[in-house]
Amino acid sequence: IVPQGQVPAVVQPTEVPEAVLPGAEEYIEIGRGAAGEAFTVDWLRSNGFIIVERNWRYEHYEVDIIATRRGVMHFVEVKTRALGSIESAFEAINTTKRTALLHAMRAYTRRTRWASDVQVDLAAVEACLDGSFIMHYTPGIMGGDAGD
């Protein structure tokens, strides 16, 4: 849980579940970023998550995917990179992005009156040259409280 007004630091994963989807040609047609999000939605669904929102916007904030599982609301940030990209997905979650995610998370929970646990997860998706994806899903890169 992150106290109000504080921005948590990025947590490097110790164990990262990995998903690979070979032959993902249907994803490639929609562009790398959207393909990474579509792949992540499919993976989340296959792992028991219920997708609540996609590309939810509030003012100038955006959350890629909002999903629930086991009474927890997950705000999933998807970062899709080409395999071997110089900047990692973790490096892209800088202080500005963490602050934006925190504001969006609080705005969404206020609007929906969600009072249970919330967290921000990272789906780091690598797009391979053969059309497959490799995803490293890291739950809980940020926690948060539902209220202000």
Side-chain angles (χ1 to χ4, degrees):
I1 304 295
V2 179
Q4 182 178 354
Q6 290 188 357
V7 178
V10 172
V11 176
Q12 293 294 331
T14 52
E15 270 192 49
V16 181
E18 187 174 284
V20 178
L21 179 66
E25 293 81 16
E26 69 273 15
Y27 295 116
I28 300 303
E29 295 298 316
I30 59 176
R32 184 184 296 151
E37 287 183 21
F39 173 69
T40 301
V41 164
D42 288 347
W43 184 87
L44 289 167
R45 284 185 177 136
S46 71
N47 283 277
F49 289 81
I50 297 168
I51 305 303
V52 179
E53 303 273 358
R54 290 185 68 181
N55 301 308
W56 183 79
R57 294 181 190 280
Y58 172 74
E59 294 178 354
H60 59 278
Y61 306 116
E62 183 202 1
V63 178
D64 295 327
I65 302 166
I66 301 173
T68 60
R69 184 173 76 163
R70 299 182 190 135
V72 177
M73 184 168 290
H74 299 260
F75 293 79
V76 183
E77 179 66 16
V78 180
K79 293 295 182 190
T80 306
R81 302 282 188 262
L83 187 63
S85 179
I86 293 173
E87 181 186 44
S88 76
F90 284 97
E91 292 169 333
I93 309 294
N94 58 26
T95 301
T96 301
K97 184 63 178 179
R98 289 193 306 271
T99 301
L101 286 166
L102 188 61
H103 284 302
M105 180 174 62
R106 288 193 172 140
Y108 189 84
T109 56
R110 273 194 312 269
R111 285 180 159 211
T112 61
R113 297 190 173 141
W114 183 267
S116 293
D117 293 336
V118 295
Q119 68 183 47
V120 176
D121 301 344
L122 174 63
V125 181
E126 294 179 296
C128 302
L129 292 175
D130 66 358
S132 65
F133 292 96
I134 300 169
M135 180 177 60
H136 304 276
Y137 190 83
T138 307
I141 64 165
M142 289 171 47
D145 57 46
D148 277 335

PDB file of all heavy atoms in Angstrom, residues 110-132:
ATOM      1  N   ARG A 110     -12.129   6.190  -7.411  1.00  0.00           N
ATOM      2  CA  ARG A 110     -13.136   7.153  -6.910  1.00  0.00           C
ATOM      3  C   ARG A 110     -14.409   7.073  -7.743  1.00  0.00           C
ATOM      4  O   ARG A 110     -15.512   7.017  -7.205  1.00  0.00           O
ATOM      5  CB  ARG A 110     -12.590   8.583  -6.958  1.00  0.00           C
ATOM      6  CG  ARG A 110     -11.826   8.996  -5.739  1.00  0.00           C
ATOM      7  CD  ARG A 110     -11.616  10.497  -5.684  1.00  0.00           C
ATOM      8  NE  ARG A 110     -11.132  11.068  -6.931  1.00  0.00           N
ATOM      9  CZ  ARG A 110      -9.851  11.233  -7.254  1.00  0.00           C
ATOM     10  NH1 ARG A 110      -8.905  10.867  -6.410  1.00  0.00           N
ATOM     11  NH2 ARG A 110      -9.509  11.764  -8.402  1.00  0.00           N
ATOM     12  N   ARG A 111     -14.251   7.075  -9.068  1.00  0.00           N
ATOM     13  CA  ARG A 111     -15.420   7.055  -9.960  1.00  0.00           C
ATOM     14  C   ARG A 111     -16.232   5.778  -9.825  1.00  0.00           C
ATOM     15  O   ARG A 111     -17.443   5.790  -9.948  1.00  0.00           O
ATOM     16  CB  ARG A 111     -14.979   7.210 -11.417  1.00  0.00           C
ATOM     17  CG  ARG A 111     -14.586   8.600 -11.759  1.00  0.00           C
ATOM     18  CD  ARG A 111     -14.166   8.683 -13.212  1.00  0.00           C
ATOM     19  NE  ARG A 111     -14.287  10.070 -13.612  1.00  0.00           N
ATOM     20  CZ  ARG A 111     -14.580  10.452 -14.829  1.00  0.00           C
ATOM     21  NH1 ARG A 111     -14.775   9.556 -15.766  1.00  0.00           N
ATOM     22  NH2 ARG A 111     -14.662  11.717 -15.110  1.00  0.00           N
ATOM     23  N   THR A 112     -15.559   4.673  -9.614  1.00  0.00           N
ATOM     24  CA  THR A 112     -16.262   3.386  -9.532  1.00  0.00           C
ATOM     25  C   THR A 112     -16.580   2.987  -8.100  1.00  0.00           C
ATOM     26  O   THR A 112     -17.232   1.959  -7.886  1.00  0.00           O
ATOM     27  CB  THR A 112     -15.420   2.268 -10.179  1.00  0.00           C
ATOM     28  OG1 THR A 112     -14.178   2.149  -9.478  1.00  0.00           O
ATOM     29  CG2 THR A 112     -15.180   2.547 -11.652  1.00  0.00           C
ATOM     30  N   ARG A 113     -16.089   3.775  -7.154  1.00  0.00           N
ATOM     31  CA  ARG A 113     -16.271   3.494  -5.724  1.00  0.00           C
ATOM     32  C   ARG A 113     -15.698   2.137  -5.329  1.00  0.00           C
ATOM     33  O   ARG A 113     -16.236   1.436  -4.480  1.00  0.00           O
ATOM     34  CB  ARG A 113     -17.743   3.615  -5.336  1.00  0.00           C
ATOM     35  CG  ARG A 113     -18.254   5.018  -5.535  1.00  0.00           C
ATOM     36  CD  ARG A 113     -19.597   5.216  -4.937  1.00  0.00           C
ATOM     37  NE  ARG A 113     -19.913   6.643  -5.042  1.00  0.00           N
ATOM     38  CZ  ARG A 113     -21.103   7.091  -5.321  1.00  0.00           C
ATOM     39  NH1 ARG A 113     -22.104   6.274  -5.481  1.00  0.00           N
ATOM     40  NH2 ARG A 113     -21.307   8.384  -5.401  1.00  0.00           N
ATOM     41  N   TRP A 114     -14.614   1.772  -5.969  1.00  0.00           N
ATOM     42  CA  TRP A 114     -13.910   0.528  -5.655  1.00  0.00           C
ATOM     43  C   TRP A 114     -13.214   0.703  -4.315  1.00  0.00           C
ATOM     44  O   TRP A 114     -12.448   1.641  -4.124  1.00  0.00           O
ATOM     45  CB  TRP A 114     -12.891   0.217  -6.741  1.00  0.00           C
ATOM     46  CG  TRP A 114     -12.172  -1.079  -6.519  1.00  0.00           C
ATOM     47  CD1 TRP A 114     -10.987  -1.241  -5.880  1.00  0.00           C
ATOM     48  CD2 TRP A 114     -12.588  -2.381  -6.917  1.00  0.00           C
ATOM     49  NE1 TRP A 114     -10.630  -2.569  -5.867  1.00  0.00           N
ATOM     50  CE2 TRP A 114     -11.610  -3.292  -6.506  1.00  0.00           C
ATOM     51  CE3 TRP A 114     -13.699  -2.871  -7.592  1.00  0.00           C
ATOM     52  CZ2 TRP A 114     -11.692  -4.654  -6.730  1.00  0.00           C
ATOM     53  CZ3 TRP A 114     -13.786  -4.217  -7.830  1.00  0.00           C
ATOM     54  CH2 TRP A 114     -12.797  -5.101  -7.406  1.00  0.00           C
ATOM     55  N   ALA A 115     -13.486  -0.184  -3.388  1.00  0.00           N
ATOM     56  CA  ALA A 115     -12.940  -0.027  -2.042  1.00  0.00           C
ATOM     57  C   ALA A 115     -12.010  -1.167  -1.641  1.00  0.00           C
ATOM     58  O   ALA A 115     -11.555  -1.215  -0.511  1.00  0.00           O
ATOM     59  CB  ALA A 115     -14.081   0.097  -1.030  1.00  0.00           C
ATOM     60  N   SER A 116     -11.733  -2.087  -2.537  1.00  0.00           N
ATOM     61  CA  SER A 116     -10.849  -3.210  -2.223  1.00  0.00           C
ATOM     62  C   SER A 116      -9.431  -2.915  -2.703  1.00  0.00           C
ATOM     63  O   SER A 116      -9.119  -1.810  -3.114  1.00  0.00           O
ATOM     64  CB  SER A 116     -11.380  -4.493  -2.887  1.00  0.00           C
ATOM     65  OG  SER A 116     -12.602  -4.867  -2.290  1.00  0.00           O
ATOM     66  N   ASP A 117      -8.598  -3.934  -2.684  1.00  0.00           N
ATOM     67  CA  ASP A 117      -7.191  -3.775  -3.042  1.00  0.00           C
ATOM     68  C   ASP A 117      -7.006  -3.400  -4.501  1.00  0.00           C
ATOM     69  O   ASP A 117      -7.761  -3.839  -5.376  1.00  0.00           O
ATOM     70  CB  ASP A 117      -6.431  -5.073  -2.767  1.00  0.00           C
ATOM     71  CG  ASP A 117      -6.345  -5.392  -1.287  1.00  0.00           C
ATOM     72  OD1 ASP A 117      -6.440  -4.456  -0.463  1.00  0.00           O
ATOM     73  OD2 ASP A 117      -6.187  -6.575  -0.948  1.00  0.00           O
ATOM     74  N   VAL A 118      -5.977  -2.607  -4.739  1.00  0.00           N
ATOM     75  CA  VAL A 118      -5.590  -2.221  -6.092  1.00  0.00           C
ATOM     76  C   VAL A 118      -4.076  -2.335  -6.214  1.00  0.00           C
ATOM     77  O   VAL A 118      -3.351  -2.251  -5.223  1.00  0.00           O
ATOM     78  CB  VAL A 118      -6.028  -0.774  -6.443  1.00  0.00           C
ATOM     79  CG1 VAL A 118      -7.534  -0.646  -6.476  1.00  0.00           C
ATOM     80  CG2 VAL A 118      -5.433   0.230  -5.488  1.00  0.00           C
ATOM     81  N   GLN A 119      -3.617  -2.532  -7.438  1.00  0.00           N
ATOM     82  CA  GLN A 119      -2.172  -2.541  -7.685  1.00  0.00           C
ATOM     83  C   GLN A 119      -1.916  -2.255  -9.148  1.00  0.00           C
ATOM     84  O   GLN A 119      -2.798  -2.403  -9.987  1.00  0.00           O
ATOM     85  CB  GLN A 119      -1.541  -3.869  -7.282  1.00  0.00           C
ATOM     86  CG  GLN A 119      -1.936  -5.049  -8.137  1.00  0.00           C
ATOM     87  CD  GLN A 119      -1.334  -6.346  -7.636  1.00  0.00           C
ATOM     88  OE1 GLN A 119      -1.390  -6.637  -6.451  1.00  0.00           O
ATOM     89  NE2 GLN A 119      -0.753  -7.118  -8.545  1.00  0.00           N
ATOM     90  N   VAL A 120      -0.699  -1.839  -9.429  1.00  0.00           N
ATOM     91  CA  VAL A 120      -0.257  -1.620 -10.802  1.00  0.00           C
ATOM     92  C   VAL A 120       0.681  -2.760 -11.156  1.00  0.00           C
ATOM     93  O   VAL A 120       1.601  -3.084 -10.409  1.00  0.00           O
ATOM     94  CB  VAL A 120       0.462  -0.268 -10.965  1.00  0.00           C
ATOM     95  CG1 VAL A 120       0.994  -0.105 -12.383  1.00  0.00           C
ATOM     96  CG2 VAL A 120      -0.488   0.886 -10.620  1.00  0.00           C
ATOM     97  N   ASP A 121       0.412  -3.374 -12.310  1.00  0.00           N
ATOM     98  CA  ASP A 121       1.237  -4.465 -12.816  1.00  0.00           C
ATOM     99  C   ASP A 121       1.896  -4.018 -14.115  1.00  0.00           C
ATOM    100  O   ASP A 121       1.378  -3.135 -14.811  1.00  0.00           O
ATOM    101  CB  ASP A 121       0.391  -5.707 -13.101  1.00  0.00           C
ATOM    102  CG  ASP A 121      -0.353  -6.220 -11.865  1.00  0.00           C
ATOM    103  OD1 ASP A 121      -0.008  -5.823 -10.742  1.00  0.00           O
ATOM    104  OD2 ASP A 121      -1.289  -7.019 -12.050  1.00  0.00           O
ATOM    105  N   LEU A 122       2.992  -4.641 -14.458  1.00  0.00           N
ATOM    106  CA  LEU A 122       3.690  -4.338 -15.709  1.00  0.00           C
ATOM    107  C   LEU A 122       3.708  -5.572 -16.594  1.00  0.00           C
ATOM    108  O   LEU A 122       4.128  -6.644 -16.157  1.00  0.00           O
ATOM    109  CB  LEU A 122       5.125  -3.888 -15.433  1.00  0.00           C
ATOM    110  CG  LEU A 122       6.004  -3.666 -16.675  1.00  0.00           C
ATOM    111  CD1 LEU A 122       5.455  -2.532 -17.541  1.00  0.00           C
ATOM    112  CD2 LEU A 122       7.441  -3.389 -16.262  1.00  0.00           C
ATOM    113  N   ALA A 123       3.259  -5.401 -17.828  1.00  0.00           N
ATOM    114  CA  ALA A 123       3.396  -6.435 -18.850  1.00  0.00           C
ATOM    115  C   ALA A 123       4.467  -5.935 -19.822  1.00  0.00           C
ATOM    116  O   ALA A 123       4.225  -5.014 -20.605  1.00  0.00           O
ATOM    117  CB  ALA A 123       2.080  -6.673 -19.575  1.00  0.00           C
ATOM    118  N   ALA A 124       5.651  -6.500 -19.718  1.00  0.00           N
ATOM    119  CA  ALA A 124       6.755  -6.144 -20.612  1.00  0.00           C
ATOM    120  C   ALA A 124       6.743  -7.146 -21.757  1.00  0.00           C
ATOM    121  O   ALA A 124       7.051  -8.317 -21.580  1.00  0.00           O
ATOM    122  CB  ALA A 124       8.071  -6.196 -19.859  1.00  0.00           C
ATOM    123  N   VAL A 125       6.328  -6.672 -22.930  1.00  0.00           N
ATOM    124  CA  VAL A 125       6.146  -7.546 -24.086  1.00  0.00           C
ATOM    125  C   VAL A 125       7.258  -7.285 -25.090  1.00  0.00           C
ATOM    126  O   VAL A 125       7.520  -6.138 -25.449  1.00  0.00           O
ATOM    127  CB  VAL A 125       4.765  -7.305 -24.746  1.00  0.00           C
ATOM    128  CG1 VAL A 125       4.568  -8.228 -25.941  1.00  0.00           C
ATOM    129  CG2 VAL A 125       3.647  -7.478 -23.726  1.00  0.00           C
ATOM    130  N   GLU A 126       7.909  -8.359 -25.506  1.00  0.00           N
ATOM    131  CA  GLU A 126       8.936  -8.264 -26.536  1.00  0.00           C
ATOM    132  C   GLU A 126       8.383  -8.868 -27.824  1.00  0.00           C
ATOM    133  O   GLU A 126       7.898 -10.005 -27.823  1.00  0.00           O
ATOM    134  CB  GLU A 126      10.197  -9.006 -26.122  1.00  0.00           C
ATOM    135  CG  GLU A 126      10.896  -8.373 -24.931  1.00  0.00           C
ATOM    136  CD  GLU A 126      12.139  -9.151 -24.541  1.00  0.00           C
ATOM    137  OE1 GLU A 126      11.998 -10.314 -24.130  1.00  0.00           O
ATOM    138  OE2 GLU A 126      13.240  -8.574 -24.666  1.00  0.00           O
ATOM    139  N   ALA A 127       8.443  -8.089 -28.907  1.00  0.00           N
ATOM    140  CA  ALA A 127       7.991  -8.559 -30.209  1.00  0.00           C
ATOM    141  C   ALA A 127       9.186  -9.155 -30.948  1.00  0.00           C
ATOM    142  O   ALA A 127      10.177  -8.481 -31.195  1.00  0.00           O
ATOM    143  CB  ALA A 127       7.393  -7.399 -31.008  1.00  0.00           C
ATOM    144  N   CYS A 128       9.072 -10.434 -31.285  1.00  0.00           N
ATOM    145  CA  CYS A 128      10.154 -11.142 -31.972  1.00  0.00           C
ATOM    146  C   CYS A 128       9.990 -11.006 -33.487  1.00  0.00           C
ATOM    147  O   CYS A 128       8.894 -10.752 -33.990  1.00  0.00           O
ATOM    148  CB  CYS A 128      10.139 -12.615 -31.580  1.00  0.00           C
ATOM    149  SG  CYS A 128      10.313 -12.877 -29.806  1.00  0.00           S
ATOM    150  N   LEU A 129      11.079 -11.183 -34.197  1.00  0.00           N
ATOM    151  CA  LEU A 129      11.056 -11.050 -35.658  1.00  0.00           C
ATOM    152  C   LEU A 129      10.149 -12.072 -36.332  1.00  0.00           C
ATOM    153  O   LEU A 129       9.614 -11.815 -37.412  1.00  0.00           O
ATOM    154  CB  LEU A 129      12.477 -11.173 -36.220  1.00  0.00           C
ATOM    155  CG  LEU A 129      13.420 -10.024 -35.865  1.00  0.00           C
ATOM    156  CD1 LEU A 129      14.827 -10.326 -36.373  1.00  0.00           C
ATOM    157  CD2 LEU A 129      12.906  -8.716 -36.425  1.00  0.00           C
ATOM    158  N   ASP A 130       9.947 -13.233 -35.714  1.00  0.00           N
ATOM    159  CA  ASP A 130       9.112 -14.273 -36.320  1.00  0.00           C
ATOM    160  C   ASP A 130       7.617 -14.053 -36.057  1.00  0.00           C
ATOM    161  O   ASP A 130       6.791 -14.886 -36.416  1.00  0.00           O
ATOM    162  CB  ASP A 130       9.532 -15.659 -35.831  1.00  0.00           C
ATOM    163  CG  ASP A 130       9.284 -15.870 -34.339  1.00  0.00           C
ATOM    164  OD1 ASP A 130       8.810 -14.934 -33.656  1.00  0.00           O
ATOM    165  OD2 ASP A 130       9.569 -16.980 -33.853  1.00  0.00           O
ATOM    166  N   GLY A 131       7.253 -12.937 -35.419  1.00  0.00           N
ATOM    167  CA  GLY A 131       5.850 -12.648 -35.151  1.00  0.00           C
ATOM    168  C   GLY A 131       5.366 -13.131 -33.801  1.00  0.00           C
ATOM    169  O   GLY A 131       4.226 -12.911 -33.437  1.00  0.00           O
ATOM    170  N   SER A 132       6.228 -13.778 -33.045  1.00  0.00           N
ATOM    171  CA  SER A 132       5.829 -14.234 -31.712  1.00  0.00           C
ATOM    172  C   SER A 132       6.111 -13.137 -30.693  1.00  0.00           C
ATOM    173  O   SER A 132       6.781 -12.144 -30.988  1.00  0.00           O
ATOM    174  CB  SER A 132       6.571 -15.523 -31.343  1.00  0.00           C
ATOM    175  OG  SER A 132       7.957 -15.271 -31.230  1.00  0.00           O
TER     176      SER A 132
END
